[in-house]
Amino acid sequence: MLDRKPFLLNRRRLLQFGIAGIGMSGAAIALPQLLGQRQKLAQAKVPPLPSNAPAINDTMHPMAMLRDFDWGTVKKVNGRTVREFQLIAGTSTIALNSAVTFNTWNVNNRVPGPTLRARQGDRVRVLFLNQGGHSHSLHFHGVHPSEMDGVKPIRHGAATIYEFDAEPYGVHLYHCHIEPVTRHINKGLYGMFIVDPPADRPPADEMVLIMAGYDVNDDEKNELYAFNGIPDYYHHHPIPIYQNQLIRLYVLNMIEFDVAATFHLHANMFQVYRTGRTLTPAEETDVITMGTAERHILEFSFKYPGKFMFHPHQDAMAEHGCMGQFEVIKPA
């Protein structure tokens, strides 16, 4: 059984001092373990970030966010791995295009929030501070006790700790669960939570694509759509990938106000691992339908070099920002 003393100390410090200053307290970071996991991911051939792909602000760079997995601060408690994450709800204004700015409600000053990652059986500890000006919370999909379900409002300026075991393995998500939930999600309070299976999946170039919509005039309809926060970013700045390299996409649909969306890949087929809850694919296709909060792992590789589109097959979504391209290049 996990020792509760570190949890109580962290909670006391959290409530007294806020999140800042406690992330490095307690046991030392297990750097060898953390680096080992990243090295396993790095076995795949991954192109360098293109120099002409701009950041949106200091914390939001859609090209870097593709492969930015937050493994947390790793500790050992009674021989068990504990991953501690610091998440802060806040607000910031971002430019969605040259004509539209949007006041986001976000996690860690980015939309989507950080992609959290753990292995099945790890203990997950989320230090949550609300500086968003409204009551917020974080609800995690997966299995956890009721008191960790994230439906209790956390007022502005307050903090709490969510702690639970990472289970089951698969692709999950987190989001604010304060009513109206649709509005809080549409404003940007969501992110992906990946739980790896006990044994590693085969090496691949792994990326996260989260589809979302923006209601910019508060009419409960989306006027713009995006992958990873910014409309048309990957259309104007194609994602470089290597020819014949296995690609593993973690795809999540967080589009509110629309019943469903599809994901379509041009000139190729992909293997579907539904909700990431299997180690063998359920089907092979080039388009899949996803309801809100539905997510899957999609695997493929490209035989030919060149630029290839990906987008929902709902033309209105694609034409209003949910459009991207892969640029398949030959390995150096």
mmCIF file of all heavy atoms in Angstrom, residues 245-282:
data_model
loop_
_atom_site.group_PDB
_atom_site.id
_atom_site.type_symbol
_atom_site.label_atom_id
_atom_site.label_comp_id
_atom_site.label_asym_id
_atom_site.label_seq_id
_atom_site.Cartn_x
_atom_site.Cartn_y
_atom_site.Cartn_z
ATOM 1 N N GLN A 245 8.686 5.092 -42.201
ATOM 2 C CA GLN A 245 8.766 5.081 -40.733
ATOM 3 C C GLN A 245 7.374 4.846 -40.148
ATOM 4 O O GLN A 245 6.414 5.499 -40.557
ATOM 5 C CB GLN A 245 9.313 6.412 -40.230
ATOM 6 C CG GLN A 245 9.202 6.625 -38.719
ATOM 7 C CD GLN A 245 10.064 5.665 -37.916
ATOM 8 O OE1 GLN A 245 11.270 5.685 -38.022
ATOM 9 N NE2 GLN A 245 9.422 4.811 -37.128
ATOM 10 N N LEU A 246 7.263 3.935 -39.196
ATOM 11 C CA LEU A 246 5.990 3.713 -38.518
ATOM 12 C C LEU A 246 5.604 4.966 -37.743
ATOM 13 O O LEU A 246 6.380 5.479 -36.927
ATOM 14 C CB LEU A 246 6.077 2.522 -37.569
ATOM 15 C CG LEU A 246 4.799 2.225 -36.759
ATOM 16 C CD1 LEU A 246 3.654 1.814 -37.679
ATOM 17 C CD2 LEU A 246 5.060 1.137 -35.709
ATOM 18 N N ILE A 247 4.396 5.468 -38.013
ATOM 19 C CA ILE A 247 3.849 6.627 -37.313
ATOM 20 C C ILE A 247 2.740 6.138 -36.385
ATOM 21 O O ILE A 247 1.880 5.353 -36.792
ATOM 22 C CB ILE A 247 3.279 7.666 -38.295
ATOM 23 C CG1 ILE A 247 4.316 8.063 -39.340
ATOM 24 C CG2 ILE A 247 2.748 8.885 -37.540
ATOM 25 C CD1 ILE A 247 5.558 8.716 -38.774
ATOM 26 N N ARG A 248 2.772 6.611 -35.150
ATOM 27 C CA ARG A 248 1.718 6.269 -34.187
ATOM 28 C C ARG A 248 1.043 7.571 -33.768
ATOM 29 O O ARG A 248 1.618 8.380 -33.052
ATOM 30 C CB ARG A 248 2.298 5.532 -32.985
ATOM 31 C CG ARG A 248 1.250 5.163 -31.927
ATOM 32 C CD ARG A 248 1.847 4.270 -30.834
ATOM 33 N NE ARG A 248 2.311 3.000 -31.382
ATOM 34 C CZ ARG A 248 3.548 2.534 -31.258
ATOM 35 N NH1 ARG A 248 4.464 3.233 -30.599
ATOM 36 N NH2 ARG A 248 3.879 1.371 -31.787
ATOM 37 N N LEU A 249 -0.193 7.763 -34.233
ATOM 38 C CA LEU A 249 -0.963 8.961 -33.896
ATOM 39 C C LEU A 249 -1.911 8.666 -32.743
ATOM 40 O O LEU A 249 -2.688 7.703 -32.791
ATOM 41 C CB LEU A 249 -1.802 9.425 -35.089
ATOM 42 C CG LEU A 249 -1.136 10.162 -36.247
ATOM 43 C CD1 LEU A 249 -2.203 10.665 -37.205
ATOM 44 C CD2 LEU A 249 -0.293 11.308 -35.749
ATOM 45 N N TYR A 250 -1.844 9.491 -31.722
ATOM 46 C CA TYR A 250 -2.831 9.478 -30.649
ATOM 47 C C TYR A 250 -3.836 10.580 -30.997
ATOM 48 O O TYR A 250 -3.529 11.770 -30.876
ATOM 49 C CB TYR A 250 -2.169 9.745 -29.300
ATOM 50 C CG TYR A 250 -1.162 8.696 -28.883
ATOM 51 C CD1 TYR A 250 0.169 8.770 -29.297
ATOM 52 C CD2 TYR A 250 -1.540 7.625 -28.077
ATOM 53 C CE1 TYR A 250 1.100 7.816 -28.910
ATOM 54 C CE2 TYR A 250 -0.618 6.659 -27.681
ATOM 55 C CZ TYR A 250 0.696 6.758 -28.107
ATOM 56 O OH TYR A 250 1.620 5.798 -27.724
ATOM 57 N N VAL A 251 -5.012 10.190 -31.451
ATOM 58 C CA VAL A 251 -5.997 11.138 -31.975
ATOM 59 C C VAL A 251 -7.183 11.224 -31.027
ATOM 60 O O VAL A 251 -7.735 10.204 -30.599
ATOM 61 C CB VAL A 251 -6.474 10.727 -33.377
ATOM 62 C CG1 VAL A 251 -7.499 11.713 -33.920
ATOM 63 C CG2 VAL A 251 -5.290 10.645 -34.338
ATOM 64 N N LEU A 252 -7.571 12.456 -30.697
ATOM 65 C CA LEU A 252 -8.682 12.717 -29.773
ATOM 66 C C LEU A 252 -9.602 13.762 -30.383
ATOM 67 O O LEU A 252 -9.140 14.775 -30.903
ATOM 68 C CB LEU A 252 -8.118 13.223 -28.433
ATOM 69 C CG LEU A 252 -9.079 13.875 -27.431
ATOM 70 C CD1 LEU A 252 -10.135 12.887 -26.957
ATOM 71 C CD2 LEU A 252 -8.295 14.451 -26.250
ATOM 72 N N ASN A 253 -10.897 13.509 -30.319
ATOM 73 C CA ASN A 253 -11.894 14.480 -30.772
ATOM 74 C C ASN A 253 -12.456 15.226 -29.569
ATOM 75 O O ASN A 253 -13.182 14.657 -28.756
ATOM 76 C CB ASN A 253 -13.031 13.787 -31.526
ATOM 77 C CG ASN A 253 -14.143 14.764 -31.898
ATOM 78 O OD1 ASN A 253 -13.916 15.968 -31.988
ATOM 79 N ND2 ASN A 253 -15.339 14.243 -32.123
ATOM 80 N N MET A 254 -12.124 16.519 -29.448
ATOM 81 C CA MET A 254 -12.665 17.360 -28.380
ATOM 82 C C MET A 254 -13.534 18.481 -28.950
ATOM 83 O O MET A 254 -13.660 19.552 -28.347
ATOM 84 C CB MET A 254 -11.531 17.938 -27.526
ATOM 85 C CG MET A 254 -10.863 16.910 -26.639
ATOM 86 S SD MET A 254 -11.994 16.040 -25.527
ATOM 87 C CE MET A 254 -12.454 17.355 -24.407
ATOM 88 N N ILE A 255 -14.148 18.248 -30.097
ATOM 89 C CA ILE A 255 -15.019 19.245 -30.720
ATOM 90 C C ILE A 255 -16.374 19.239 -30.025
ATOM 91 O O ILE A 255 -17.103 18.249 -30.075
ATOM 92 C CB ILE A 255 -15.191 18.979 -32.224
ATOM 93 C CG1 ILE A 255 -13.834 19.037 -32.933
ATOM 94 C CG2 ILE A 255 -16.165 19.984 -32.840
ATOM 95 C CD1 ILE A 255 -13.903 18.648 -34.401
ATOM 96 N N GLU A 256 -16.704 20.314 -29.360
ATOM 97 C CA GLU A 256 -18.032 20.489 -28.784
ATOM 98 C C GLU A 256 -18.948 21.142 -29.825
ATOM 99 O O GLU A 256 -18.493 21.703 -30.823
ATOM 100 C CB GLU A 256 -17.957 21.369 -27.526
ATOM 101 C CG GLU A 256 -17.167 20.742 -26.378
ATOM 102 C CD GLU A 256 -17.919 19.615 -25.681
ATOM 103 O OE1 GLU A 256 -19.116 19.411 -25.974
ATOM 104 O OE2 GLU A 256 -17.306 18.947 -24.828
ATOM 105 N N PHE A 257 -20.266 21.078 -29.594
ATOM 106 C CA PHE A 257 -21.317 21.661 -30.433
ATOM 107 C C PHE A 257 -21.499 20.937 -31.771
ATOM 108 O O PHE A 257 -22.360 21.320 -32.557
ATOM 109 C CB PHE A 257 -21.072 23.161 -30.700
ATOM 110 C CG PHE A 257 -20.946 23.988 -29.453
ATOM 111 C CD1 PHE A 257 -19.820 24.766 -29.234
ATOM 112 C CD2 PHE A 257 -21.940 23.982 -28.488
ATOM 113 C CE1 PHE A 257 -19.697 25.536 -28.084
ATOM 114 C CE2 PHE A 257 -21.828 24.747 -27.338
ATOM 115 C CZ PHE A 257 -20.699 25.529 -27.133
ATOM 116 N N ASP A 258 -20.689 19.923 -32.066
ATOM 117 C CA ASP A 258 -20.890 19.076 -33.246
ATOM 118 C C ASP A 258 -20.989 17.639 -32.762
ATOM 119 O O ASP A 258 -20.191 17.205 -31.906
ATOM 120 C CB ASP A 258 -19.735 19.218 -34.238
ATOM 121 C CG ASP A 258 -19.716 20.562 -34.939
ATOM 122 O OD1 ASP A 258 -20.440 20.702 -35.935
ATOM 123 O OD2 ASP A 258 -18.990 21.468 -34.482
ATOM 124 N N VAL A 259 -21.926 16.899 -33.310
ATOM 125 C CA VAL A 259 -22.201 15.551 -32.807
ATOM 126 C C VAL A 259 -21.009 14.631 -32.980
ATOM 127 O O VAL A 259 -20.673 13.838 -32.099
ATOM 128 C CB VAL A 259 -23.442 14.958 -33.505
ATOM 129 C CG1 VAL A 259 -23.663 13.521 -33.076
ATOM 130 C CG2 VAL A 259 -24.677 15.806 -33.182
ATOM 131 N N ALA A 260 -20.339 14.723 -34.121
ATOM 132 C CA ALA A 260 -19.228 13.820 -34.405
ATOM 133 C C ALA A 260 -18.321 14.461 -35.443
ATOM 134 O O ALA A 260 -18.679 15.441 -36.110
ATOM 135 C CB ALA A 260 -19.740 12.468 -34.911
ATOM 136 N N ALA A 261 -17.146 13.902 -35.565
ATOM 137 C CA ALA A 261 -16.200 14.320 -36.590
ATOM 138 C C ALA A 261 -15.496 13.073 -37.106
ATOM 139 O O ALA A 261 -15.409 12.058 -36.411
ATOM 140 C CB ALA A 261 -15.183 15.312 -36.044
ATOM 141 N N THR A 262 -15.007 13.154 -38.319
ATOM 142 C CA THR A 262 -14.216 12.063 -38.864
ATOM 143 C C THR A 262 -12.754 12.482 -38.951
ATOM 144 O O THR A 262 -12.429 13.670 -38.921
ATOM 145 C CB THR A 262 -14.717 11.648 -40.260
ATOM 146 O OG1 THR A 262 -14.695 12.796 -41.114
ATOM 147 C CG2 THR A 262 -16.127 11.092 -40.187
ATOM 148 N N PHE A 263 -11.870 11.501 -39.060
ATOM 149 C CA PHE A 263 -10.463 11.748 -39.341
ATOM 150 C C PHE A 263 -10.109 10.947 -40.576
ATOM 151 O O PHE A 263 -10.295 9.738 -40.619
ATOM 152 C CB PHE A 263 -9.576 11.335 -38.165
ATOM 153 C CG PHE A 263 -8.112 11.587 -38.420
ATOM 154 C CD1 PHE A 263 -7.544 12.818 -38.116
ATOM 155 C CD2 PHE A 263 -7.301 10.603 -38.974
ATOM 156 C CE1 PHE A 263 -6.197 13.059 -38.359
ATOM 157 C CE2 PHE A 263 -5.956 10.835 -39.217
ATOM 158 C CZ PHE A 263 -5.405 12.071 -38.911
ATOM 159 N N HIS A 264 -9.592 11.651 -41.584
ATOM 160 C CA HIS A 264 -9.282 11.028 -42.878
ATOM 161 C C HIS A 264 -7.833 11.304 -43.232
ATOM 162 O O HIS A 264 -7.349 12.429 -43.103
ATOM 163 C CB HIS A 264 -10.208 11.581 -43.965
ATOM 164 C CG HIS A 264 -9.826 11.176 -45.355
ATOM 165 N ND1 HIS A 264 -9.608 9.870 -45.726
ATOM 166 C CD2 HIS A 264 -9.617 11.923 -46.480
ATOM 167 C CE1 HIS A 264 -9.296 9.814 -47.011
ATOM 168 N NE2 HIS A 264 -9.282 11.046 -47.490
ATOM 169 N N LEU A 265 -7.150 10.269 -43.695
ATOM 170 C CA LEU A 265 -5.763 10.379 -44.136
ATOM 171 C C LEU A 265 -5.709 10.124 -45.632
ATOM 172 O O LEU A 265 -6.227 9.120 -46.125
ATOM 173 C CB LEU A 265 -4.908 9.348 -43.390
ATOM 174 C CG LEU A 265 -3.406 9.341 -43.669
ATOM 175 C CD1 LEU A 265 -2.756 10.649 -43.230
ATOM 176 C CD2 LEU A 265 -2.747 8.148 -42.960
ATOM 177 N N HIS A 266 -5.066 11.034 -46.368
ATOM 178 C CA HIS A 266 -4.984 10.915 -47.820
ATOM 179 C C HIS A 266 -3.952 9.863 -48.241
ATOM 180 O O HIS A 266 -2.892 9.720 -47.604
ATOM 181 C CB HIS A 266 -4.594 12.260 -48.437
ATOM 182 C CG HIS A 266 -5.740 13.191 -48.636
ATOM 183 N ND1 HIS A 266 -5.858 14.028 -49.719
ATOM 184 C CD2 HIS A 266 -6.847 13.417 -47.879
ATOM 185 C CE1 HIS A 266 -6.971 14.743 -49.632
ATOM 186 N NE2 HIS A 266 -7.589 14.389 -48.510
ATOM 187 N N ALA A 267 -4.258 9.164 -49.317
ATOM 188 C CA ALA A 267 -3.321 8.294 -50.043
ATOM 189 C C ALA A 267 -2.692 7.212 -49.175
ATOM 190 O O ALA A 267 -1.562 6.781 -49.417
ATOM 191 C CB ALA A 267 -2.225 9.141 -50.704
ATOM 192 N N ASN A 268 -3.442 6.763 -48.164
ATOM 193 C CA ASN A 268 -2.882 5.761 -47.266
ATOM 194 C C ASN A 268 -4.003 5.102 -46.477
ATOM 195 O O ASN A 268 -5.168 5.539 -46.528
ATOM 196 C CB ASN A 268 -1.880 6.407 -46.306
ATOM 197 C CG ASN A 268 -0.785 5.447 -45.871
ATOM 198 O OD1 ASN A 268 -0.944 4.238 -45.934
ATOM 199 N ND2 ASN A 268 0.340 6.001 -45.419
ATOM 200 N N MET A 269 -3.669 4.065 -45.742
ATOM 201 C CA MET A 269 -4.570 3.403 -44.809
ATOM 202 C C MET A 269 -3.894 3.393 -43.444
ATOM 203 O O MET A 269 -2.671 3.493 -43.340
ATOM 204 C CB MET A 269 -4.862 1.965 -45.253
ATOM 205 C CG MET A 269 -5.359 1.831 -46.683
ATOM 206 S SD MET A 269 -7.030 2.467 -46.939
ATOM 207 C CE MET A 269 -7.992 1.116 -46.234
ATOM 208 N N PHE A 270 -4.698 3.282 -42.393
ATOM 209 C CA PHE A 270 -4.118 3.189 -41.054
ATOM 210 C C PHE A 270 -4.775 2.064 -40.271
ATOM 211 O O PHE A 270 -5.936 1.707 -40.493
ATOM 212 C CB PHE A 270 -4.213 4.520 -40.288
ATOM 213 C CG PHE A 270 -5.572 5.179 -40.275
ATOM 214 C CD1 PHE A 270 -6.603 4.687 -39.475
ATOM 215 C CD2 PHE A 270 -5.817 6.309 -41.049
ATOM 216 C CE1 PHE A 270 -7.846 5.297 -39.454
ATOM 217 C CE2 PHE A 270 -7.058 6.936 -41.032
ATOM 218 C CZ PHE A 270 -8.068 6.428 -40.236
ATOM 219 N N GLN A 271 -4.000 1.491 -39.342
ATOM 220 C CA GLN A 271 -4.495 0.492 -38.408
ATOM 221 C C GLN A 271 -5.118 1.214 -37.220
ATOM 222 O O GLN A 271 -4.554 2.193 -36.705
ATOM 223 C CB GLN A 271 -3.355 -0.417 -37.926
ATOM 224 C CG GLN A 271 -2.610 -1.156 -39.030
ATOM 225 C CD GLN A 271 -3.390 -2.337 -39.560
ATOM 226 O OE1 GLN A 271 -4.313 -2.834 -38.905
ATOM 227 N NE2 GLN A 271 -3.024 -2.800 -40.754
ATOM 228 N N VAL A 272 -6.286 0.739 -36.781
ATOM 229 C CA VAL A 272 -7.034 1.389 -35.701
ATOM 230 C C VAL A 272 -6.948 0.556 -34.422
ATOM 231 O O VAL A 272 -7.326 -0.620 -34.407
ATOM 232 C CB VAL A 272 -8.514 1.579 -36.087
ATOM 233 C CG1 VAL A 272 -9.276 2.260 -34.948
ATOM 234 C CG2 VAL A 272 -8.637 2.375 -37.377
ATOM 235 N N TYR A 273 -6.445 1.173 -33.356
ATOM 236 C CA TYR A 273 -6.427 0.574 -32.022
ATOM 237 C C TYR A 273 -7.420 1.385 -31.188
ATOM 238 O O TYR A 273 -7.091 2.451 -30.658
ATOM 239 C CB TYR A 273 -5.027 0.635 -31.418
ATOM 240 C CG TYR A 273 -3.971 -0.113 -32.202
ATOM 241 C CD1 TYR A 273 -3.440 0.419 -33.378
ATOM 242 C CD2 TYR A 273 -3.518 -1.356 -31.778
ATOM 243 C CE1 TYR A 273 -2.472 -0.258 -34.100
ATOM 244 C CE2 TYR A 273 -2.548 -2.052 -32.493
ATOM 245 C CZ TYR A 273 -2.034 -1.491 -33.653
ATOM 246 O OH TYR A 273 -1.072 -2.177 -34.372
ATOM 247 N N ARG A 274 -8.636 0.900 -31.080
ATOM 248 C CA ARG A 274 -9.716 1.683 -30.506
ATOM 249 C C ARG A 274 -9.466 1.998 -29.033
ATOM 250 O O ARG A 274 -9.223 1.105 -28.224
ATOM 251 C CB ARG A 274 -11.051 0.968 -30.690
ATOM 252 C CG ARG A 274 -11.485 0.928 -32.149
ATOM 253 C CD ARG A 274 -12.887 0.376 -32.341
ATOM 254 N NE ARG A 274 -13.312 0.573 -33.736
ATOM 255 C CZ ARG A 274 -13.890 1.678 -34.188
ATOM 256 N NH1 ARG A 274 -14.139 2.668 -33.366
ATOM 257 N NH2 ARG A 274 -14.231 1.786 -35.456
ATOM 258 N N THR A 275 -9.511 3.285 -28.722
ATOM 259 C CA THR A 275 -9.277 3.831 -27.386
ATOM 260 C C THR A 275 -7.898 3.434 -26.852
ATOM 261 O O THR A 275 -7.634 3.605 -25.673
ATOM 262 C CB THR A 275 -10.386 3.402 -26.401
ATOM 263 O OG1 THR A 275 -11.653 3.461 -27.058
ATOM 264 C CG2 THR A 275 -10.468 4.332 -25.202
ATOM 265 N N GLY A 276 -7.043 2.909 -27.714
ATOM 266 C CA GLY A 276 -5.729 2.458 -27.277
ATOM 267 C C GLY A 276 -5.772 1.295 -26.322
ATOM 268 O O GLY A 276 -4.783 0.987 -25.656
ATOM 269 N N ARG A 277 -6.933 0.605 -26.268
ATOM 270 C CA ARG A 277 -7.138 -0.435 -25.265
ATOM 271 C C ARG A 277 -6.807 -1.834 -25.777
ATOM 272 O O ARG A 277 -7.225 -2.830 -25.205
ATOM 273 C CB ARG A 277 -8.597 -0.393 -24.778
ATOM 274 C CG ARG A 277 -8.931 0.798 -23.920
ATOM 275 C CD ARG A 277 -8.342 0.696 -22.519
ATOM 276 N NE ARG A 277 -8.908 -0.439 -21.804
ATOM 277 C CZ ARG A 277 -8.196 -1.464 -21.358
ATOM 278 N NH1 ARG A 277 -6.884 -1.518 -21.543
ATOM 279 N NH2 ARG A 277 -8.800 -2.446 -20.713
ATOM 280 N N THR A 278 -6.056 -1.895 -26.858
ATOM 281 C CA THR A 278 -5.682 -3.187 -27.409
ATOM 282 C C THR A 278 -4.288 -3.088 -27.992
ATOM 283 O O THR A 278 -3.823 -1.997 -28.359
ATOM 284 C CB THR A 278 -6.686 -3.628 -28.491
ATOM 285 O OG1 THR A 278 -6.243 -4.852 -29.092
ATOM 286 C CG2 THR A 278 -6.792 -2.571 -29.586
ATOM 287 N N LEU A 279 -3.613 -4.221 -28.077
ATOM 288 C CA LEU A 279 -2.287 -4.271 -28.683
ATOM 289 C C LEU A 279 -2.343 -4.819 -30.103
ATOM 290 O O LEU A 279 -1.314 -4.928 -30.769
ATOM 291 C CB LEU A 279 -1.349 -5.128 -27.825
ATOM 292 C CG LEU A 279 -1.166 -4.647 -26.380
ATOM 293 C CD1 LEU A 279 -0.234 -5.588 -25.624
ATOM 294 C CD2 LEU A 279 -0.641 -3.224 -26.329
ATOM 295 N N THR A 280 -3.537 -5.160 -30.541
ATOM 296 C CA THR A 280 -3.738 -5.612 -31.921
ATOM 297 C C THR A 280 -4.802 -4.735 -32.560
ATOM 298 O O THR A 280 -5.790 -4.371 -31.919
ATOM 299 C CB THR A 280 -4.182 -7.082 -31.972
ATOM 300 O OG1 THR A 280 -5.376 -7.248 -31.193
ATOM 301 C CG2 THR A 280 -3.083 -7.986 -31.411
ATOM 302 N N PRO A 281 -4.628 -4.379 -33.822
ATOM 303 C CA PRO A 281 -5.576 -3.457 -34.460
ATOM 304 C C PRO A 281 -6.946 -4.096 -34.666
ATOM 305 O O PRO A 281 -7.067 -5.295 -34.901
ATOM 306 C CB PRO A 281 -4.906 -3.129 -35.799
ATOM 307 C CG PRO A 281 -3.994 -4.281 -36.065
ATOM 308 C CD PRO A 281 -3.523 -4.764 -34.733
ATOM 309 N N ALA A 282 -7.976 -3.252 -34.578
ATOM 310 C CA ALA A 282 -9.349 -3.713 -34.774
ATOM 311 C C ALA A 282 -9.739 -3.697 -36.239
ATOM 312 O O ALA A 282 -10.606 -4.467 -36.657
ATOM 313 C CB ALA A 282 -10.317 -2.835 -33.974
#
